[in-house]
Amino acid sequence: MKVATGIGISLPILLVVLSLLSQADGVFGFFLSEIPRVLLSWTSFETLWRLFLIALVALGLFAYFHALMEEREEHVEIPDPTREEQKIVWDGVIMVTVLTMINIVYIAFTVIQISYLFTGNKMLLPAGMTYAEYAKNGFNELVMVTLINFAILLMTMHFASRAKRLLYRLIQGLLSLLTVGTGFMLFSAYFRLSLYEAYYGYTYSRLLGHAFMIFLAVLLVISLVKIWHDRFSLIQSFAIVGLASYVLLNYVNMDAIIAKNNIALYHDSKILDIDYLTELSYDAVPIILSLAEDERVGSEVVSKLERRIAKLPANDQWQSFNFSTYQAKKWMSQSAGR
């Protein structure tokens, strides 16, 4: 009954996860859609009947031997209504069943990812799907699955029963496998986004996506430590990492990074979104002016920057002094002097 309960709990989770993974990975969705056809090609009424009989006999034998080997209690403890309410815990057998079902799906997804995305095995892609389409899709879905895994991981660590040591060790092993699988999904999403950027360029949202995935990866490492060291403070560690990440993100010059990477991409592909590049903050102006000598886009880039900087007040008060604006004006005057 506990195993059946675990399977019943895992089914709704698997429906959501399988739907997201199918959208994230066309090859995984292709194989998933092929399962009914493969099953129907070899199953028949006789096969189903035999499988039903085998399952029925196996269940009966298991129940019989379990009843023989189970230790009998000599006395039954009468519940004490005055005793304080115990902490809510989840049964170990149910949790093992749920985690096993989920990990099987993630192992299959990982194998497909390694086979197609990272080895470049283009010849085995389904008909009508290009390798570029396969590589660029699925970033959002993989991040959603990662967040679902985080919820499963945190709730299991908090509510899982620790009464039976061996069973809890098995739960710890399955949680570790879930953490590793989640880390691989993060790496896959990071890799996909990098491929997308290599073709379409860099923006705020894409860089923030990278930062968010790195943040989640650090939280996964902390969670892996917590799985095997129960006294480790998870909330405190998450709070420290979250605060440090927020401060670091505010000090990183994202505009300069976007400009530098898009210019490097332009030198390779000769494609550049000049309007987006020149609308970045003034922190990126020194890097953007490296295109001033470019024969194709240099004059247009300088012209757009000059028109933008010309709109700034001529004499700023010291209260509103901005170093990036001052530096942009200085660089523009030097560029005009050349």
Side-chain angles (χ1 to χ4, degrees), residues 222 226 229-240:
I222 295 174
K226 172 65 176 178
H229 298 278
D230 203 36
R231 295 183 179 180
F232 184 75
S233 178
L234 194 64
I235 298 178
Q236 183 179 4
S237 302
F238 279 9
I240 293 174

Side-chain angles (χ1 to χ4, degrees), residues 1-14 88-103 152 155-156 159-162 164 167-168 170-171 174-175:
M1 288 300 298
K2 291 180 179 179
V3 173
T5 302
I7 294 174
I9 294 174
S10 64
L11 286 179
I13 302 173
L14 289 178
I88 299 176
V89 294
W90 292 349
D91 184 81
V93 176
I94 295 176
M95 295 311 305
V96 167
T97 305
V98 172
L99 293 174
T100 301
M101 297 276 291
I102 295 174
N103 278 322
I152 296 173
M155 288 191 296
T156 303
F159 292 109
S161 174
R162 292 160 173 77
K164 298 181 180 179
L167 194 59
Y168 185 67
L170 182 58
I171 293 175
L174 291 171
L175 286 176

Side-chain angles (χ1 to χ4, degrees), residues 311-331:
K311 298 178 182 178
L312 293 173
N315 297 316
D316 292 335
Q317 299 296 325
W318 66 268
Q319 296 94 336
S320 59
F321 175 79
N322 182 276
F323 180 73
S324 296
T325 304
Y326 166 78
Q327 192 178 34
K329 291 180 179 179
K330 180 181 177 182
W331 277 83

Side-chain angles (χ1 to χ4, degrees), residues 164-198:
K164 298 181 180 179
R165 184 176 181 82
L166 183 60
L167 194 59
Y168 185 67
R169 288 297 183 191
L170 182 58
I171 293 175
Q172 287 177 307
L174 291 171
L175 286 176
S176 301
L177 184 60
L178 179 67
T179 305
V180 173
T182 305
F184 184 85
M185 289 182 184
L186 274 179
F187 177 74
S188 177
Y190 191 96
F191 185 73
R192 288 168 183 265
L193 186 57
S194 299
L195 291 176
Y196 191 84
E197 287 172 330

Side-chain angles (χ1 to χ4, degrees), residues 244-318:
S245 301
Y246 177 77
V247 173
L248 180 63
L249 198 60
N250 278 275
Y251 275 93
V252 171
N253 191 346
M254 293 187 63
D255 297 83
I257 296 174
I258 293 171
K260 181 179 179 180
N261 287 318
N262 283 337
I263 291 174
L265 183 62
Y266 162 71
H267 291 313
D268 294 333
S269 64
K270 302 302 179 184
I271 298 175
L272 182 67
D273 187 347
I274 298 177
D275 292 330
Y276 181 81
L277 190 68
T278 54
E279 287 299 322
L280 294 173
S281 73
Y282 296 108
D283 292 327
V285 169
I287 297 176
I288 298 173
L289 284 176
S290 64
L291 292 172
E293 304 299 329
D294 189 273
E295 296 180 356
R296 296 179 69 250
V297 299
S299 59
E300 185 179 357
V301 167
V302 173
S303 175
K304 287 181 177 292
L305 287 178
E306 286 177 344
R307 288 198 300 268
R308 185 180 174 194
I309 293 178
K311 298 178 182 178
L312 293 173
N315 297 316
D316 292 335
Q317 299 296 325
W318 66 268

Side-chain angles (χ1 to χ4, degrees), residues 6-144:
I7 294 174
I9 294 174
S10 64
L11 286 179
I13 302 173
L14 289 178
L15 287 176
V16 176
V17 169
L18 287 173
S19 176
L20 291 172
L21 293 181
S22 298
Q23 297 176 42
D25 191 286
V27 177
F28 184 79
F30 172 77
F31 280 115
L32 195 64
S33 64
E34 286 292 298
I35 291 176
R37 186 187 64 81
V38 173
L39 291 176
L40 292 175
S41 64
W42 61 267
T43 56
S44 62
F45 178 77
E46 183 180 359
T47 304
L48 293 176
W49 175 249
R50 290 183 179 182
L51 289 175
F52 173 75
L53 291 179
I54 291 172
L56 189 62
V57 173
L59 183 62
L61 289 175
F62 173 80
Y64 177 72
F65 285 109
H66 184 272
L68 289 178
M69 299 175 64
E70 186 178 9
E71 295 182 1
R72 305 293 181 180
E73 296 183 1
E74 297 181 358
H75 62 278
V76 178
E77 183 179 357
I78 300 176
D80 185 3
T82 62
R83 183 180 299 176
E84 295 183 359
E85 186 177 354
Q86 296 180 349
K87 177 184 175 181
I88 299 176
V89 294
W90 292 349
D91 184 81
V93 176
I94 295 176
M95 295 311 305
V96 167
T97 305
V98 172
L99 293 174
T100 301
M101 297 276 291
I102 295 174
N103 278 322
I104 289 174
V105 173
Y106 290 164
I107 290 173
F109 181 80
T110 301
V111 170
I112 292 175
Q113 288 281 286
I114 293 174
S115 301
Y116 290 88
L117 187 60
F118 301 112
T119 62
N121 197 350
K122 306 177 186 180
M123 300 302 295
L124 298 178
L125 289 175
M129 180 184 296
T130 65
Y131 188 69
E133 291 172 345
Y134 174 76
K136 293 172 187 174
N137 294 330
F139 165 75
N140 293 329
E141 289 81 3
L142 288 177
V143 173
M144 284 296 299

